[in-house]
């Protein structure tokens, strides 16, 4: 049961990671799709702008040449030539060459802010028009060049007439130039130009609109993929949370309660579950039981030591406890015999109380006895009192536990 729950949690964890990666990829593709929409919009706007500029150029040429042959003002002839030069890439193009540019400059020259010369057809080709669209433009350009020849003829006729001339011949020439620019032949030529331009504009509008629509549909699709991936991630995270609680066996607060130093009694309920909390609760109970047994042992040991001290103090026989070769306890009988106080002996190496000639043998016996070796428990040696008096004693040694560690207790007679 526990292994199956843990395996489910692991699978959900990997699932969450995989879906998270999918969300990131979906978001990246969605961002790219939105960028494609912006690019498609930009191409559409630029394409329609170029198509409009092509039509507007033809209209501006017609307006300038008609105004010149009527007024004879050379500025309009100069504007006519400037429009042709800008369209064909022979002169710099104004930075803001809008459809009303020449309307804002009825008698002035173009502003100084210009960009590098570039033919209109070259700019159109750089945008990436299709072959049928370029064919329409080429057709319009050829017909426009033919119309320019007619317009130049009218300008040449108007140039032959001085502005102040009022003779019948001069008036007839000017009227002839005006008729050339307004008769049925000229109007048919204009229609022949505007027809391909109109078809070109329609083809461009349809193509770019389809591109924008395709980009928008792709962006919407990627947006829904991203939304669905996010929804799946939220669902998996919720299930992962439930699976994590199943593996844990409870909430994080319950885990903290079980791991606390003094757990509440209600945490005992987890000992019956195959979960992390259940195992922690079992460990906690085991620790509590061990701690209880240790405390009970410490209490029993303390009680035994207390009773030993009471008995040892009441005994007439001299008794001392040696641990790590140091005196840890001496009863009143021994203190009286050597003439010392308790605080003068505790922590003193016991070998200092032994007569020098007996020290090596007694130390050897002590070490073997403390190590647990079986040797003679009874021995005789000489003891030096506080006042320097030397007297012989017979001792019996016994290995036992003092404060939880091995020690040797000597009974001296």
């Amino acid at each position: 049961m526990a292994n199956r729950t843990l395996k489910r949690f692991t699978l959900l964890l990997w699932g969450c990671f995989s879906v998270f990666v999918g969300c990131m990829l979906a978001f990246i593709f969605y961002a790219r799709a939105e960028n494609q929409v912006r690019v498609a919009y930009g191409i559409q706007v630029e394409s329609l702008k170029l198509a409009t500029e092509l039509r507007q150029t033809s209209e501006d040429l017609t307006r300038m040449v008609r105004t010149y042959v009527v007024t004879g003002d050379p500025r309009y002839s100069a504007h006519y030539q400037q429009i042709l030069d800008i369209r064909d890439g022979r002169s710099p193009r104004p930075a803001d060459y809008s459809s009303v540019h020449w309307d804002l400059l009825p008698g002035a020259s173009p502003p100084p802010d210009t960009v590098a010369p570039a033919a209109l057809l070259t700019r159109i080709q750089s945008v990436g028009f299709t072959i049928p669209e370029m064919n329409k433009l080429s057709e319009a350009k050829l017909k426009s060049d033919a119309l320019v020849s007619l317009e130049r003829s009218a300008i040449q006729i108007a140039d032959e007439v001085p502005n102040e001339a009022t003779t019948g011949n001069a008036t007839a020439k000017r009227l002839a130039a005006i008729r050339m620019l307004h008769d049925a032949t000229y109007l048919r030529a204009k229609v022949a130009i505007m027809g391909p331009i109109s078809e070109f504009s329609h083809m461009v509008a349809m193509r770019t609109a389809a591109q924008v629509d395709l980009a928008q549909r792709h962006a919407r699709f990627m947006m829904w993929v991203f939304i669905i991936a996010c929804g799946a991630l939220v669902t998996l995270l919720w299930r992962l949370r439930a699976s994590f609680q199943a593996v844990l066996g409870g909430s994080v607060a319950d885990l903290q309660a079980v791991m606390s130093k003094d757990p509440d009694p209600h945490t005992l309920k987890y000992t019956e579950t195959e979960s992390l909390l259940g195992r922690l609760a079992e460990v906690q109970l085991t620790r509590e039981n061990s701690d209880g047994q240790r405390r009970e042992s410490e209490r029993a040991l303390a009680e035994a030591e207390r009773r030993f001290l009471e008995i040892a103090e009441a005994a007439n026989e001299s008794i001392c406890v040696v641990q790590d070769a140091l005196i840890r306890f001496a009863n009143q009988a021994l203190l009286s015999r050597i003439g010392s106080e308790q605080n003068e002996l505790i922590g003193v190496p016991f070998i200092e109380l032994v007569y020098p000639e007996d020290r090596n043998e007694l130390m050897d016996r002590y070490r073997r006895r403390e190590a647990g070796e079986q040797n003679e428990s009874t021995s005789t040696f000489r003891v030096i009192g506080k006042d320097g008096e030397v007297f012989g004693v017979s001792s019996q040694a016994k290995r036992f536990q003092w404060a939880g560690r091995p020690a040797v207790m000597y009974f001296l007679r």
Side-chain angles (χ1 to χ4, degrees):
M1 178 64 180
N3 291 336
R4 187 166 61 251
T5 302
L6 184 60
K7 183 178 180 180
R8 175 181 174 83
F9 173 77
T10 304
L11 290 176
L12 285 172
L13 186 63
W14 278 107
C16 287
F17 175 75
S18 301
V19 174
F20 175 76
V21 173
C23 285
M24 294 299 99
L25 292 176
F27 178 77
I28 292 173
F29 285 118
Y30 169 66
R32 290 182 178 178
E34 285 292 340
N35 184 64
Q36 290 175 354
V37 172
R38 289 191 291 271
V39 171
Y41 269 124
I43 293 175
Q44 183 184 44
V45 171
E46 184 65 20
S47 300
L48 294 178
K49 180 180 177 181
L50 291 172
T52 301
E53 184 177 336
L54 178 62
R55 176 186 174 280
Q56 186 63 37
T57 298
S58 179
E59 291 295 321
D60 290 337
L61 288 172
T62 298
R63 181 161 54 88
M64 293 299 174
V65 71
R66 282 177 173 177
T67 304
Y68 173 69
V69 298
V70 171
T71 64
D73 190 338
R75 290 177 297 181
Y76 292 104
S77 175
H79 288 339
Y80 178 86
Q81 187 60 45
Q82 288 174 350
I83 294 171
L84 284 176
D85 292 341
I86 291 173
R87 187 188 70 173
D88 296 337
R90 292 188 295 269
S91 294
R93 184 168 52 90
D96 187 18
Y97 196 43
S98 62
S99 60
V100 297
H101 175 78
W102 298 105
D103 295 325
L104 299 176
L105 300 171
S109 299
D113 294 336
T114 58
V115 295
L120 181 59
L121 285 181
T122 302
R123 292 164 54 208
I124 289 174
Q125 290 173 350
S126 66
V127 175
F129 288 96
T130 63
I131 293 178
E133 292 167 352
M134 292 301 301
N135 290 338
K136 290 295 180 182
L137 285 181
S138 298
E139 180 183 352
K141 179 66 167 55
L142 290 174
K143 293 181 179 179
S144 177
D145 291 342
L147 186 61
V148 168
S149 298
L150 178 62
E151 292 169 342
R152 288 188 182 279
S153 297
I155 292 174
Q156 186 176 4
I157 294 173
D159 287 341
E160 295 175 356
V161 180
N163 291 338
E164 296 81 5
T166 57
T167 62
N169 186 33
T171 301
K173 287 185 176 181
R174 187 175 298 279
L175 289 175
I178 294 174
R179 281 196 297 272
M180 288 178 63
L181 300 176
H182 291 83
D183 61 9
T185 301
Y186 185 85
L187 294 178
R188 283 194 298 269
K190 285 288 293 184
V191 171
I193 295 173
M194 292 302 169
I197 292 177
S198 177
E199 293 177 8
F200 166 78
S201 299
H202 178 72
M203 293 169 65
V204 170
M206 294 297 292
R207 177 178 59 81
T208 55
Q211 290 176 341
V212 170
D213 181 67
L214 178 62
Q216 287 178 332
R217 284 190 283 112
H218 181 62
R220 285 194 297 269
F221 173 76
M222 294 310 305
M223 179 186 68
W224 280 110
V225 170
F226 176 66
I227 292 175
I228 293 172
C230 289
L233 180 61
V234 171
T235 303
L236 284 176
L237 286 174
W238 181 262
R239 296 181 64 183
L240 180 65
R241 175 179 176 273
S243 179
F244 175 72
Q245 288 186 339
V247 173
L248 189 62
S251 64
V252 176
D254 293 335
L255 177 62
Q256 292 175 341
V258 171
M259 295 182 66
S260 63
K261 186 175 181 181
D262 298 315
D264 295 331
H266 80 279
T267 58
L268 298 177
K269 64 182 180 181
Y270 296 112
T271 58
E272 300 177 358
T273 62
E274 294 183 3
S275 63
L276 179 59
L277 278 175
R279 295 180 181 179
L280 286 175
E282 290 178 358
V283 172
Q284 188 74 338
L285 288 177
T286 303
R287 189 189 73 179
E288 286 296 311
N289 292 334
S290 299
D291 290 345
Q293 293 174 358
R294 179 179 54 80
R295 288 192 293 268
E296 184 64 28
S297 299
E298 290 175 351
R299 284 195 296 268
L301 181 60
E303 178 64 20
E305 290 179 354
R306 186 188 63 81
R307 294 178 61 185
F308 165 76
L309 293 176
E310 290 179 353
I311 295 173
E313 289 291 350
N316 295 325
E317 191 174 14
S318 298
I319 300 174
C320 73
V321 176
V322 179
Q323 186 181 62
D324 300 327
L326 302 176
I327 297 175
R328 300 301 185 185
F329 170 76
N331 69 345
Q332 190 59 41
L334 178 60
L335 295 175
S336 300
R337 191 169 182 180
I338 63 176
S340 297
E341 299 294 333
Q342 184 79 247
N343 57 358
E344 294 176 342
L345 287 183
I346 301 303
V348 175
F350 83 100
I351 205 67
E352 293 183 4
L353 301 180
V354 180
Y355 192 72
E357 294 181 1
D358 299 335
R359 289 179 181 177
N360 290 337
E361 181 180 357
L362 184 61
M363 179 58 75
D364 181 65
R365 287 175 175 271
Y366 164 74
R367 287 173 178 168
R368 286 188 293 166
R369 172 62 63 181
E370 188 180 43
E373 296 182 13
Q374 297 296 328
N375 56 6
E376 296 180 3
S377 61
T378 302
S379 62
T380 59
F381 55 89
R382 287 166 287 183
V383 176
I384 305 174
K386 183 177 180 181
D387 57 1
E389 179 185 1
V390 178
F391 54 90
V393 297
S394 175
S395 71
Q396 185 175 10
K398 176 68 175 178
R399 186 177 184 272
F400 79 122
Q401 294 289 319
W402 176 270
R405 295 177 54 232
V408 177
M409 181 168 55
Y410 287 95
F411 299 90
L412 306 178
R413 299 181 178 84

